[in-house]
Amino acid sequence: MRGARHARWVAAAMAAALSAAACGGGGGGTAPGVLSSSWSDPPNPLEPANTNEVQGGKVLDMLFRGLKRYNPRTGAAENMLAEKIETTDSQNFTVTVKDGWTFSDGEPVTARSFVDAWNYGAGLRNNQKNAYFFGYIDGYDKVHPETGTQSADTLSGLRVTGPRTFTVRLRQKFSTFPDTLGYVAFAPLPRAFFDHHGDWLKKPVGNGPYLVKSYIRGFMMSLRRWDGYSGPDKAQNNGVDLQVYTDGNTAYTDLLSGNLDLVDDVPAAQLKNVNADLDGRYINAPAGIIQTLAFPFYDPQWNKPGMEKVRTGLSMAINRDQITHRIFHDTRTPASDWTSPVLGADGGFQAGLCASACTYDPVRARKLVQEGGGLPGGQVRIAYNADAGSHREWVDAVCNSINRALGNDKACVGNPVGTFADFRNQIGRHKMPGPFRAGWQMDYPLIQNFLQPLYYTGASSNDGKWSDKDFDRLVDQANAESDTARAVRLFQAAEEVVRDNMAAIPLWYQNGSAGYAQRLTHVALNPFSVPVYNEIKVG
């Protein structure tokens, strides 16, 4: 989104920021008790229903609390603003909101705060990227039709029944629906969001432990502790300055030099030295993240009959064991399915589901690519955002592996896109000329979240526009199943459809990584690999 005409201003602002941090005595904090952390500008405004990527999600997790919150240690969905969520049939739910909660502008958080926010998020005319998450609620087809204009402004399945109570009627049974309500799209919104929308976007008002002090795009977002916060997870520091970096290696260098307190994604090039560099102030923890290569199925060349063989052949041409060891120093694990080991077997993780299709086999890879009609245009161009230092190295390694396997040193090349925002914008406009980096960080710890948002027809994060009727049918059946174990088995059957079509190539499961300065204590990553900012203490 950042145009070329802003480039020199952004560079100057960044230089000023780093200079100020260096003069401030280390850590980059601009006030006592404030920590500084590396960050990238989110591509969209910070509306809860319009944020489906990690950088914006970090901020919203500090600004908002919803009905549920995912335990920062276990990932379990626990009541936050929900006093109780009741159902007798897994389709009709009665929600009671806890008393005493307010937004930072003083407005009480009520049942209407949720219902109005959800209706806004679902509405077609509001163009919210997470609208699909409200698709389970009755009336979604009227407020967000697949074609044409919306014929209703509110979801018929939502009804306020009291100051702190509302009901939710789903279009089908969904036994685990309450566990999805910790996702940021379901956050409540104050009246200021609707009445003064432009002003709110410049300085969002939420009900979480932090307030937005200021934001200069391309430079820094400053958040400060809200002393009026009602929740049990109050901020243990005075604030967080999120400093924008376009190169992870620069952020890491600033951490070592004392100009930054926290880097929450250690670049691959630094992993071999990180323990020695930081003297134990390094976190390497399992997280609900999988990295994949997605395909532009909107391009007929990638979606014609036989291309599933080409996609599978490319998967078998990637030496995951070698890349995760040499590039990532074993902070990644070769993927053998499309979910994450953090789910556990009971949660739906199937170790080895991908089987031979994810096993390096150059001979078989070449044969499948030939049988499928060859590479579209004769070459694979893997797109990635160039502002994260770790991506170029692994993309080059993947291409080298493919080139060796196919016996063609021009079969695969990297296709860098300047910034994360530019990369996401190209994906959103369906302009990708070939495979592209498609990491997924779980929104909530359910197998459904690793499958439906990414592969269901028309889903919010189905960036490649893959579509399969068998997959959709199995997901619908799983969502309707009130027995959790049976629902998981149906989702696993749907995942087998993803495998058989190689809808995306699973690469590796990613650990969360972070490095931090000596003046910080109580630093931890949650199962989503995001720092638990409110628990960090500044010495």
Side-chain angles (χ1 to χ4, degrees), residues 81-103:
L81 269 74
E83 184 173 295
K84 54 186 175 181
I85 302 175
E86 301 171 296
T87 185
T88 58
D89 60 3
S90 297
Q91 187 168 1
N92 293 276
F93 298 83
T94 299
V95 180
T96 302
V97 180
K98 289 178 181 177
D99 196 10
W101 281 77
T102 65
F103 293 100

Side-chain angles (χ1 to χ4, degrees), residues 23 266 459 521-522:
C23 293
V266 177
T521 60
H522 298 80

Side-chain angles (χ1 to χ4, degrees), residues 116-456:
D116 287 351
W118 295 8
N119 280 322
Y120 180 91
L124 177 63
R125 67 173 64 97
N126 297 323
N127 195 31
Q128 300 289 282
K129 291 187 178 297
N130 286 328
Y132 183 77
F133 282 89
F134 304 100
Y136 309 111
I137 302 174
D138 244 7
Y140 182 77
D141 58 333
K142 299 293 192 299
V143 302
H144 203 112
E146 292 186 11
T147 58
T149 58
Q150 66 184 86
S151 58
D153 292 328
T154 59
L155 292 157
S156 59
L158 292 180
R159 188 164 67 93
V160 175
T161 55
R164 295 192 294 116
T165 58
F166 66 100
T167 58
V168 185
R169 185 178 68 253
L170 306 183
R171 55 184 174 82
Q172 64 179 48
K173 291 182 178 181
F174 187 7
S175 59
T176 54
F177 175 71
D179 288 346
T180 72
L181 299 179
Y183 183 51
V184 69
F186 296 103
L189 288 170
R191 288 309 314 167
F193 176 89
F194 306 98
D195 297 340
H196 307 286
H197 192 64
D199 291 337
W200 190 95
L201 290 179
K202 294 175 184 176
K203 199 170 186 179
V205 172
N207 66 323
Y210 291 91
L211 308 166
V212 175
K213 178 185 178 184
S214 61
Y215 178 33
I216 300 176
R217 188 169 182 81
F219 172 30
M220 182 188 295
M221 174 174 283
S222 294
L223 300 108
R224 294 296 180 263
R225 181 177 64 198
W226 175 34
D227 291 330
Y229 176 61
S230 306
D233 53 337
K234 296 180 183 294
Q236 301 301 303
N237 50 69
N238 291 337
V240 180
D241 284 341
L242 296 172
Q243 295 185 185
V244 176
Y245 286 86
T246 58
D247 183 352
N249 288 292
T250 302
Y252 186 78
T253 299
D254 278 352
L255 172 65
L256 296 184
S257 63
N259 292 326
L260 188 68
D261 287 319
L262 177 62
V263 170
D264 66 348
D265 186 10
V266 177
Q270 309 297 341
L271 290 172
K272 61 182 178 293
N273 301 317
V274 67
N275 281 303
D277 287 346
L278 296 176
D279 191 25
R281 300 186 311 279
Y282 168 59
I283 299 171
N284 177 28
I289 305 174
I290 184 171
Q291 298 289 341
T292 66
L293 288 181
F295 293 93
F297 289 94
Y298 44 80
D299 182 343
Q301 290 192 94
W302 282 103
N303 202 18
K304 61 187 178 183
M307 287 306 294
E308 70 280 358
K309 290 186 176 182
V310 174
R311 296 190 295 270
T312 301
L314 288 171
S315 176
M316 298 176 76
I318 299 171
N319 192 333
R320 294 165 177 79
D321 289 325
Q322 184 182 82
I323 293 170
T324 54
H325 178 65
R326 291 186 179 178
I327 303 297
F328 294 112
H329 299 272
D330 300 317
T331 60
R332 310 289 191 271
T333 304
S336 62
D337 88 326
W338 284 258
T339 66
S340 169
V342 301
L343 294 178
D346 290 342
F349 171 62
Q350 298 185 85
L353 176 70
C354 189
S356 62
C358 288
T359 302
Y360 183 58
D361 187 340
V363 175
R364 182 67 176 151
R366 284 194 298 272
K367 183 178 181 183
L368 284 172
V369 169
Q370 291 169 357
E371 289 178 355
L375 302 177
Q379 186 180 65
V380 172
R381 298 175 62 206
I382 299 177
Y384 64 95
N385 54 301
D387 58 352
S390 60
H391 294 322
R392 177 178 177 178
E393 197 169 358
W394 71 256
V395 169
D396 286 349
V398 166
C399 278
N400 288 337
S401 182
I402 290 173
N403 291 342
R404 287 194 303 269
L406 301 186
N408 178 356
D409 61 5
K410 296 182 179 179
C412 180
V413 295
N415 177 25
V417 178
T419 67
F420 179 70
D422 294 336
F423 178 65
R424 288 300 309 172
N425 285 335
Q426 285 192 27
I427 290 173
R429 295 197 308 270
H430 307 136
K431 297 295 186 182
M432 286 295 163
F436 52 94
R437 182 186 76 81
W440 181 252
Q441 181 172 343
M442 66 182 183
D443 303 306
Y444 40 85
L446 299 173
I447 184 175
Q448 179 263 358
N449 186 242
F450 282 93
L451 299 177
Q452 186 163 353
L454 293 165
Y455 306 112
Y456 195 91

